[in-house]
Each structure stands twice: as structure tokens, then as C-alpha cells.
Amino acid sequence: MEALEKLSRAEARTIRGGRTSGVDSRELVPGDVVLFEAGDTIAADMRILEANKLEVNESALTGESVPVQKTSDPLEDEDTPLAERANMLYNGTSITRGSARAVVIATGMDTELGSISEQIREAASEESTPLEKRLNKLGHSFIWLATGLAVIIILVGWLQDKDLLVLVETAVALAVAAVPEGLPFVAIIALARGMVRLAEKNALINRLSAVETLGGAGVIFTDKTGTLTENRMTVRRLILPDRELDVSGEALDTEGEFREEDASVDPNEDDRLATALRIGALCSNASLGRNDNGELDPGGDPMEVALLVAAAKAGMERQELLGTYPEVREAAFDHDTRMMATIHEQSEGQYFYAVKGAPEAVLQACDRIAGDEGDKSFGEDQREQWRERSLETARNGLRVLAFARKQSDSPEDEAYTNLSFVGLVGLIDPPRDEVRASIKACHDAGVEVVMVTGDQVETARAVGRELKMFEEAEQERALEGRELKPVEQLSDEDKRRLRDTRIFARVSPSQKLDLIALHQEAGAVVAMTGDGVNDAPALEKADIGVAMGRRGTQVAREAADMILKDDAFSTIVTAIEHGRVIFSNIRKFVRFLLTVSLSMILLVFAGSLFTHRPMPIGPLQILFLNAVTFVFPALALGMGKGCPGVMKQRPRDPSEPILPRSYWYAVSLYSVGIAALATLSLIVGMDVFGRSGHAASSVSFMTLTLAQIFQVFNVRRPGSGLISNEVTRNPWVWGAVGLSLALLLTVLYVPFLANAMQLVQPGLEGWALTLAFSLPVLLVGQVVLEVQGRGRKTGC
């Protein structure tokens, strides 16, 4: 877990040597200048140098739940209380809005949070996972069962005049061996092994319990951009007043043309096109740098990168534009306004406002529209026509942004008033190649996929249709956040319709919480993806919070149970498959461990009832079995890779116990059968073949050992192959069986071990008896599994 944690450590964007680069946040030193955006967590105490609409969540330090506004202005009083120091950022807090530049003044234990840590000592405690709690409860039940039987064994044996010391030793050994203390141990090994496998598949697990929970996931709420799509945005269309242009070139290709119908258009000779491209380049926090090989090395939001690439096709580089239009201030993107603006000095006393954002928001903020002969008034009828053009563009699968501008003689004007509408830009973000197959796998596995996106509803519906997210016509219904009523106002029919809806667009953080609760109320285990600060509450509320490793904010990654290193939806599906395999493995070794524990308890109990016969197994033999046939095969079962058919089954009920009632029947029957066969081997060995004492009990010990080893192969799924199945294909199982057999032969044929264990070499006759009474466990078990599996193909 410590090794995996290194893969998801937070980075800080620092300016060192005049270059901006990402460094491990733990490597910050006083004097470092750090850049922040909404969603970043703060790993040191810092003095703010520049702040733009900056708000910080300081609840971890001050207890104040409401974000506080920050500024770069100096404090008036040097004794200002910590909670009122508006020009400081503190370790352990996070940026909720805006952007900033700050200088590090203290790190580690020298920070305010560090000083608190020195004053408060808390005993570290790892909360048990739900699985561990259930296993511990099961183990405690066995403690009482074993203790009760141990007392009975001593009393019955004492009444039969058996050696009291031997009886006490046997009872104590049985009590120790019968308690399946290996259950939580093997479970943790299986979960940790699952963490390693998932890390190899680009899924980092933050909490061990998430590995178990993954297997029961029944609903996935997923973002669109970068998860279902490639997050390689490309400007494909520019829609200007009275004109519509197509843009050629893919992704980071800065070579391309602007075409109107069949004619190429030169942006340098078209003022309105040049203005639109200029706005896209200026109103941005992205960059188009180059690496040492001279290749483009973009940084920032993929959508903003795409706008920079489109401007570069017209010969406009952002850095050169900033030389002509120096940036004075920025109005950072806000989820309430859904717009962003940058203000630039155009000439002495004149300022250019570049605005971009959601079409409906920008259109509402404009009262003029750019034209060939200057700006014209922009009425509600025109506004509605542009809304329809925006929707039509979105229906074609393009993500749509709107551009606006204004001139002012002050850089401090309200950024989103008196704007002039410039046009729309349509960007394409192609679906990932593997997503369609992953969604089909989810449908086959009974897992519902719900898209929750900030994009336009028509764009989302077009992508959903292309990915075949809809299994029924009713599911093609897509809803916007403004159409959703508070959950307490919903009727049962409303709730059903919402659970059947597969597309939600423009939803608020509180509405995400309602949607999650709606499915949880119906008994589903919900996985939720997120990447922003506003996604953190939903990630916490979901049964499995999934954060994006590439574009996700640090706040989102810390709130999540799982982090996707590749931001890919297919990785979530892979993780669910592995979660199912892991739970199936856990169920297998629990069945196995309970069967061998219970069979040994029953055998010793039956032996205590016999008069004038030795105990079937002795104290050291009991402890040997506890160490050999319990642990190694159980560990091997926990390492299995599962079967291909695991994603053809419905999600398990989260309230379902580790072992349903049918499994308990099997555990009981196998335990009784093994104990009965071992007891019969003792009786037949004594009464038919004339064995006595340790020679007879050696055969019952060997019979019990081999029968328990054979039981490993009886935990496969009914309907899986008789020869090739999830157990026989597990090389760890064969290694464990081989090791157990080798240890058995060692204690039988190494003289000093045999003497210590009170074992006698069996000879051919003893081996014949042993196989005769242990093989039926394997043979009968396989026949039963074949009968149960008739007409049932599990794909295992």
C-alpha cells in the first residue's frame, strides 16, 4: 500500500529557474513560488502574491465550513488571528475557487498544521473493513462452538476413564485449531493482492475496503469528457453571425484550414474570424509549450488547448498575443456563472474583455452582436435563434462554447455585462475506442451506466447514442439539472423514471448527491466518477468514489476510494471485474476454511464418544493440520484469477452474507462427510485390519488430511469445467496441494518428527485405507457439482 501511495502523490506547480514545472508537494521549500487553481490542495504555509477571486476551504484548520475569500493585500495588524489572515494559505487546506500565486514560508512541522500535530497525539487506528467485521463475527461464533465442544469432550472422555491429560491437551489443541483465525489474515492478503492487480490495470485503491465493495457495484455514474471520450478536443466548426466555417486538422496538429463551403478563408483577412480565434487564445490558462525534441507539449485543460491549437493554425501564438494585449486580470471560471473572462490592455486607457463559456450563459449576458459594420443590438428573438443553433450543433455530437467581447476604459468593470456576442465554436472529442465494448460488458453484468456531465444535453445524448448506452427507448430520455425536482418532492413513479434515465446534463453538486441517494435507496452499490472540487461531496457519498488521475483535482483524489491513472471508463469496468473475482475468491476460501475447521471439530467430538478406542487425532496432529491444510490452500484460493463468466452475472446483493444459506448446507454436509469418513477409517483399521493405538489413529489422521486437501477442488462453481475450471487453472492451488502433501510425507517418514507427532508409517495397507476413505470426498463432490451445474454454463 505504501508503494502504491507513491504513484498518487500530489504535485505542486512551482516556478523554479524561471520555468513552471510540477514537483512532489512534499519537496516544497521556503522561497518556492507556487501556482494554484480551484481544486488544488495546499501542502505548505504560503504568503499570497497574486489572487484572482480566490476562495479557500480552511475547515481542516479553523473548523469554518464556509470557504473564505483571500487577497494579496497586506494585513493591517500583525496580531491578526489565524482565521482572519486573508493573505495567507495554510497546509491542509484547499482552493475551492479562483487562482493564485503564492510563496512558501513554512513546510512540514513548521506549518500551523504541524504545530497542532505536535500538541495533539492520537492513537492511530485502522478501521476494519466490512468484510473483516463479518469474518471476525464468524470467528467469534466458532470460538464459542469450539469452547463448548472442548468442555463436552473433556467431560465425556473423563466419564469413560480416558487419560485426563490427553483429553485436556486434545481439547485445548482443538479449541486453538477450530477457531478460523486465518480468515481475516487470508482476506487481507486477498484484498492487498487485488490492490496490486488493479494498480497494474491503472486503478489505484485508496481504501482497502473499496476492493471488496467494487465487486457489488450495480450503478456507475460517469463523466463524459476524458472518461467516455478521449479528452483530445479538436475545434471542428466556427459559427459566426451569417457565416459558418469548418476547421481541418486533428488534436495537436497546428496545420489546418478554415473553409466556408468549398472556399478557404484566410483569418488574417477576416476580422470577425480573427477576433473569435483571438478570444479563444487569450481567454485561457493553457499553454502550448514544446519539449526538448521540439514537439508540442501542451499544459492545461484539453478544451483550452484545442482553442490554442485552432489559433495557431491562423498563426496566432498566445505568448505573442499577450505581448500585444498584456493580461491585466482574470475572472476565473465559476460553476455558477459558467463563464470565464480575461481582461487585457489594448491601448492607453482602453481594455479588451475576452469572454468564453456555456452558450446559454454567454448569450444571456450579451446585449449586442458583432457584425461587419460594427456591433448591433441583440434582442431576445435573435438570442433564441442562437440557442437553437447551439443545440443543433450539440445534436451533431460537438461540444459547444460561446465567445463574447467588449471594450472598456476600465479594467475593473463587471466582466459579464454589456457584452457583444462573437459566435460559437464546436469541438469534437471522439469516444474512446474501447468504451463501447466496456458498456456492453456492463449491460451483460447487470451494471447500469449513467452519464452525468456538465456538457449540453444534446451533445451528451449524441455521445450516449453512439456508445449504445441505451438498452430501452425510455432510457434515451436525457434530463438537465434545471428539470430535476428536490428528492423529497419526488413520487415513486418519478423516482423510477429517474433511475431509468441514462443521461443527466448541467447538474449541480447537490443534485448529484440526490441521484446517488436515489439508487442507493433502491439497494444499489453506486460508483461515482469525478475530477473537480465540486465533485468531492458526491465522491464521498458514493459507495465507490472514483477520481481522475490525470485531470482530477487533488481534492477529488483525496475524497475518492479509487484513482484512475488513465482516466478511462474501461478501467472502472476492469476494476469491477477484479472486485467480483476477489469476492468470489474470498467466498471460496471461507467455505474451505469453515469446512476443514468444522470437520475436525466433528471428528474429535465423535472420537470422544468412543469407548476403548484411541482419539482419531492427537493434539500435535491437530495443530499440524491447522498450520498445513488450513493456511496454504486457503491462501492459494485467495490468489485465483477467477473465470471469464464473472461479468455475465448480476451484481450481488450488498446485504447478502459472505455465505448464503445454500453454502452453509454445503459446508455442513461436507464437514459431516469428511468427519464420518475419517472416523470409519479408524474403525475399519482397528476392527478389520487389526491396527491398534497410534497405527490406527495414523490412518484417520492421514484420511482427514487428504480429504481436506481434496476439498480444495470442491469449491469451484457448479457448471464450470470438470477438468479445467477456476480452481484447477490456479497454479497457486497446485503449489499449495504439493506443499501440503510434501509436509504430510515429511512428518510420516522423518523419524524424529513422526515420533513427536505419534505417527506410525502406514505401509501399503495404510495408504490403501487412506485413499479408500479420502477419495470419496473428491469424487462425490465433483459428481454433485456436475449435477448442480446441468444446464448452467458459467464460462469458467
Side-chain angles (χ1 to χ4, degrees), residues 33-36 47-54 70-73 87 89 99-103 327-329:
V33 176
V34 186
L35 304 178
F36 290 106
R47 169 67 162 88
I48 299 172
L49 302 177
E50 296 177 12
N52 177 40
K53 287 193 174 181
L54 185 63
K70 294 288 185 175
T71 176
S72 60
D73 297 337
N87 61 0
L89 300 175
S99 58
R101 182 191 302 251
V103 61
E327 185 175 318
V328 177
R329 71 180 180 94

Side-chain angles (χ1 to χ4, degrees), residues 3-11 204 206 557 563 565:
L4 295 177
E5 185 184 348
K6 294 177 183 177
L7 298 177
S8 58
R9 283 178 182 160
E11 280 195 347
L204 301 180
N206 282 345
R557 290 199 293 267
I563 300 171
K565 289 196 294 181

Side-chain angles (χ1 to χ4, degrees), residues 394-544:
R395 290 188 192 105
N396 293 325
L398 298 179
R399 182 169 186 176
V400 187
L401 286 176
F403 288 158
R405 60 160 172 80
K406 76 173 179 180
Q407 257 91 19
S408 173
D409 56 8
S410 170
E412 300 300 328
D413 277 0
E414 169 55 45
Y416 306 127
T417 59
N418 302 321
L419 294 175
S420 178
F421 179 69
V422 173
L424 303 174
V425 58
L427 303 98
I428 188 169
D429 184 12
R432 290 176 180 258
D433 293 335
E434 73 279 5
V435 169
R436 189 179 289 108
S438 296
I439 289 178
K440 183 181 185 305
C442 286
H443 292 163
D444 293 342
V447 178
E448 299 172 9
V449 181
V450 182
M451 185 194 300
V452 182
T453 178
D455 212 338
Q456 288 177 282
V457 66
E458 293 299 334
T459 304
R461 199 201 312 263
V463 172
R465 194 176 294 118
E466 185 175 353
L467 293 174
K468 299 186 177 178
M469 288 182 60
F470 315 114
E471 295 182 278
E472 302 172 10
E474 184 178 345
Q475 295 173 350
E476 285 208 34
R477 179 179 60 254
L479 297 176
E480 288 192 77
R482 56 187 173 81
E483 301 178 71
L484 300 179
K485 294 187 288 186
V487 69
E488 60 272 9
Q489 298 179 14
L490 297 174
S491 66
D492 290 342
E493 179 60 22
D494 290 334
K495 292 179 179 179
R496 186 196 66 79
R497 290 177 70 249
L498 286 178
R499 283 195 286 264
D500 285 340
T501 301
R502 294 293 177 265
I503 303 288
F504 293 94
R506 306 291 203 215
V507 295
S508 68
S510 62
Q511 289 172 329
K512 288 183 181 181
L513 296 178
D514 288 344
L515 291 173
I516 292 171
L518 203 62
H519 283 272
Q520 288 176 331
E521 181 185 301
V525 174
V526 178
M528 175 79 185
T529 71
D531 56 10
V533 178
N534 60 325
D535 291 323
L539 293 173
E540 289 280 5
K541 183 173 180 58
D543 299 286
I544 308 158

Side-chain angles (χ1 to χ4, degrees), residues 28 55 61 75 87 193 220 298 320 346 432-433 446 453 470 484 531 612 641 666 715 793:
L28 291 175
E55 292 186 2
L61 194 63
L75 301 177
N87 61 0
R193 171 74 172 170
I220 303 174
E320 293 180 6
Q346 189 171 11
R432 290 176 180 258
D433 293 335
T453 178
F470 315 114
L484 300 179
D531 56 10
H612 309 303
K641 293 185 177 180
V715 297
K793 297 295 183 182

